[in-house]
Amino acid sequence: MKIDARSTARTLAEIGKWRGVLLYGDDLGLIRERAAHCVRLVAESLDDPFRVAVLDQEQHGRVEEEVGALSLIGGRRAVWVRDAQDGVLPRVTAALGIDSDTLLVIEAPGLASRAKLRAALDSNPKIASIGCYPEEGRTLIASLTELFREAGIAIDRDALFWLSSVLGADRAAVRSEVDKLVLYAGESGKLTLDECQECIGDSANATLDDATSAALAGERAIADIALERALADGLSPIALARACLSLMTRLMRVLDWMDEGRSRQEAMKMLKPPVFFKKQESFSKAIERWDRAGLSRACEAVQGFELACKQTGSPDLALSRRLVAQLCLGPRSFQR
């Protein structure tokens, strides 16, 4: 059964009521985090060999065997299937036909919307089918708020907005930086903007946000340096595409409000979340450089870039560098 975004948290909290869960989308970090949550909730551990079976791609042939196995020490088992694609569907279908209470957790990063695996499990009432996509804007702020709340850490509003603007969209990277800040704050601590910048300032300089904002503002040197740092940190080209589209959408909104008669500064202040003060200059430059038609063509190009990166054997790092170079050149580089 396909689960909408509003019901995701409740479904994950009650995953024990389901026979299995399919986690698909572009954010591998979020997929892995949610998969681990489901396994831990049912099997009470991630590495108990009697209650947890982790099956990588070359082990998919064991899905039925593991689902039908019994725990030697009692308790419900979990079978954690990684890197699933359409080829595993017959195995999954057969496994679901076995009379067992084992939870089947399926990770399927990059699974196409028309994939047979997704179509079959979206319509299966015993399977929770959940999309895992890079978070941005209000969704990212809400996730950050929840992560700090769970850790018992208070955080200033300005610090929260700053984090949402610099951490990028990859869940694994976000979680890593939040864990660092929680350790920095200490038990029941409180974080200010200055403390957040002091703690993760170096990491923030390597985020996708720096690369995309500098590229759209035409600041080639800054964009190239930020991109190379992000690549060195394991940048996902898909995350680069999503970061570009997110920023372009915000630029479009400002242009729409300016067409309604508002000044650039007034329109920028209307954005939620607001433009971080250190990025306001580059954002303003981007508004000057881009018109609606140019942004529309660039958005199409970014979508094409994302599709190309999903192809087997794609030179995604080279494509990432070329995309940033094109954005630095501005609308003229996206002429039809």
Side-chain angles (χ1 to χ4, degrees), residues 21-207:
V21 56
L22 171 67
L23 300 166
Y24 61 88
D26 297 325
D27 192 335
L28 179 58
L30 184 56
I31 289 174
R32 183 58 50 83
E33 180 178 309
R34 286 174 170 174
H37 164 83
C38 294
V39 171
R40 188 182 293 110
L41 199 63
V42 167
E44 301 175 346
S45 171
L46 296 181
D47 54 7
D48 185 336
F50 298 106
R51 297 182 63 184
V52 179
V54 180
L55 305 181
D56 293 320
Q57 196 167 39
E58 63 274 12
Q59 300 168 310
H60 286 176
R62 292 170 45 204
V63 172
E64 299 159 78
E65 173 190 345
E66 291 293 349
V67 168
L70 299 176
S71 172
L72 298 179
I73 59 174
R76 191 175 177 187
R77 298 181 71 249
V79 175
W80 189 350
V81 181
R82 294 178 174 173
D83 299 317
Q85 293 296 322
D86 281 348
V88 78
L89 178 57
R91 300 287 187 183
V92 170
T93 302
L96 293 175
I98 298 173
D99 184 14
S100 170
D101 68 348
T102 296
L103 180 71
L104 187 59
V105 180
I106 305 171
E107 292 185 2
L111 189 67
S113 59
R114 296 183 180 180
K116 294 179 181 179
L117 178 63
R118 180 170 167 186
L121 299 188
D122 274 356
S123 60
N124 190 318
K126 297 180 180 180
I127 301 293
S129 182
I130 299 174
C132 303
Y133 298 103
E135 296 175 324
E136 56 190 31
R138 294 180 180 178
T139 305
L140 179 56
I141 290 175
S143 292
L144 287 169
T145 301
E146 180 63 18
L147 289 173
F148 284 115
R149 186 194 65 77
E150 290 175 353
I153 301 299
I155 182 169
D156 288 349
R157 178 184 174 86
D158 289 345
L160 191 62
F161 280 138
W162 179 77
L163 286 173
S164 71
S165 72
V166 302
L167 286 184
D170 182 79
R171 179 70 172 201
V174 170
R175 169 66 77 170
S176 175
E177 297 300 343
V178 167
D179 288 345
K180 186 190 302 183
L181 287 166
V182 168
L183 183 63
Y184 178 90
E187 186 175 354
S188 301
K190 181 176 181 179
L191 292 165
T192 65
L193 174 59
D194 288 341
E195 288 171 333
C196 288
Q197 291 176 332
E198 179 181 353
C199 186
I200 67 169
D202 292 339
S203 297
N205 289 333
T207 63

Side-chain angles (χ1 to χ4, degrees), residues 262-280:
R262 294 178 174 85
S263 69
R264 185 190 309 163
Q265 292 302 319
E266 289 174 336
M268 286 173 59
K269 289 179 180 179
M270 293 174 66
L271 286 171
K272 301 296 181 183
V275 180
F276 183 59
F277 72 91
K278 288 188 177 181
K279 294 293 174 64
Q280 288 179 358

